[in-house]
């Protein structure tokens, strides 16, 4: 029987979906989904599976990105997978999306500070070394980065404008930007 692994992350405005069969990547797609676009979430996933000769029932292992990030997006992804797998012999797990961002940016996955747009004029960060997270406004961020040192920083390119508005310029200049999540990291 074929092992079909699916990776799904919806912790930010971009839905990332990748599938591998017996260790060989079949496809990887991503799509910005904001506000009401999420209504097409299931159809987007199903169309990409069908376009590659697969169906949800073929997936034997699911990995879902656990953020930090959009609570609504993570809830949609986790609930969707839970609904698909309920009562079935399908393995599921979660992996921090921050690791895939750091890897996608070429940053140190074990020691990076991964920064997200937290909306509401805030950033969300996850220190991958200590596994501590924080939600900070501009003033709090200035204080936080004076008191804490990091070897590397990573963030998604789509968050660049929002992150720049919050971070001290010397920290912003050190960020390695990920164009996409590294789904191999999941």
């Amino acid at each position: 029987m074929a092992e079909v692994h699916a990776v799904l992350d919806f912790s930010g405005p971009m839905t990332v979906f990748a599938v591998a069969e017996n260790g060989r990547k079949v496809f990887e797609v991503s799509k910005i989904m904001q506000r009401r676009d999420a209504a097409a979430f299931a159809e987007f996933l199903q169309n990409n599976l069908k376009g590659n000769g697969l169906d949800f029932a073929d997936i034997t292992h699911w990995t879902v990105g656990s953020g930090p990030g959009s609570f609504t997006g993570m809830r949609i992804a986790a609930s969707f997978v839970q609904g698909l797998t309920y009562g079935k012999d399908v393995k599921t797990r979660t992996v921090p999306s921050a690791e895939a961002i750091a890897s996608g940016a070429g940053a140190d996955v074990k020691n990076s500070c991964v920064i997200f747009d937290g909306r509401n004029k805030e950033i969300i960060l996850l220190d991958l070394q200590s596994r501590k997270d924080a939600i900070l406004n501009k003033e709090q961020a200035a204080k936080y980065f004076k008191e804490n040192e990091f070897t590397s920083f990573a963030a998604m390119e789509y968050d660049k404008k929002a992150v720049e508005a919050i971070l001290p310029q010397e920290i912003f200049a050190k960020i390695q930007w990920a164009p996409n999540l590294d789904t191999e990291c999941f």
Side-chain angles (χ1 to χ4, degrees):
M1 184 172 138
E3 282 196 1
V4 180
H5 293 251
V7 170
L8 178 60
D9 187 277
F10 194 17
S11 61
M14 183 180 296
T15 298
V16 178
F17 185 43
V19 174
E21 186 171 359
N22 295 326
R24 183 188 62 81
K25 189 180 282 187
V26 177
F27 70 88
E28 179 176 335
V29 293
S30 58
K31 180 178 181 180
I32 296 286
M33 289 192 179
Q34 295 182 352
R35 294 177 175 67
R36 298 203 187 277
D37 292 345
F41 178 78
E43 182 179 14
F44 169 71
L45 303 180
Q46 186 174 35
N47 287 344
N48 281 287
L49 284 169
K50 283 186 177 181
N52 287 281
L54 296 166
D55 192 72
F56 289 121
D58 297 323
I59 298 172
T60 59
H61 297 75
W62 280 94
T63 299
V64 178
S66 63
S70 163
F71 178 71
T72 300
M74 290 183 291
R75 187 178 64 212
I76 288 169
S79 297
F80 184 79
V81 170
Q82 186 178 21
L84 285 174
T85 62
Y86 182 77
K88 297 184 175 124
D89 186 26
V90 176
K91 293 182 179 3
T92 61
R93 68 183 185 146
T94 62
V95 172
S97 307
E99 292 180 6
I101 292 170
S103 183
D108 182 353
V109 174
K110 301 224 184 291
N111 298 308
S112 286
C113 176
V114 181
I115 301 168
F116 304 81
D117 174 12
R119 311 289 186 261
N120 302 318
K121 298 181 183 177
E122 297 173 322
I123 58 165
I124 300 170
L125 65 84
L126 178 63
D127 176 353
L128 290 177
Q129 184 174 17
S130 70
R131 296 295 182 179
K132 292 181 181 176
D133 59 1
I135 300 172
L136 308 168
N137 63 28
K138 188 171 186 159
E139 293 76 29
Q140 293 165 329
K143 182 180 179 194
Y144 186 89
F145 288 109
K146 282 183 183 175
E147 296 172 354
N148 297 278
E149 291 189 28
F150 298 95
T151 57
S152 65
F153 300 89
M156 290 298 295
E157 283 183 356
Y158 56 68
D159 282 342
K160 195 177 256 188
K161 185 176 178 182
V163 168
E164 183 177 26
I166 304 298
L167 287 180
Q169 200 55 41
E170 64 273 11
I171 301 300
F172 181 79
K174 296 177 184 178
I175 295 176
Q176 294 173 262
W177 298 97
N180 297 300
L181 292 175
D182 179 3
T183 57
E184 300 293 324
C185 194
F186 285 105

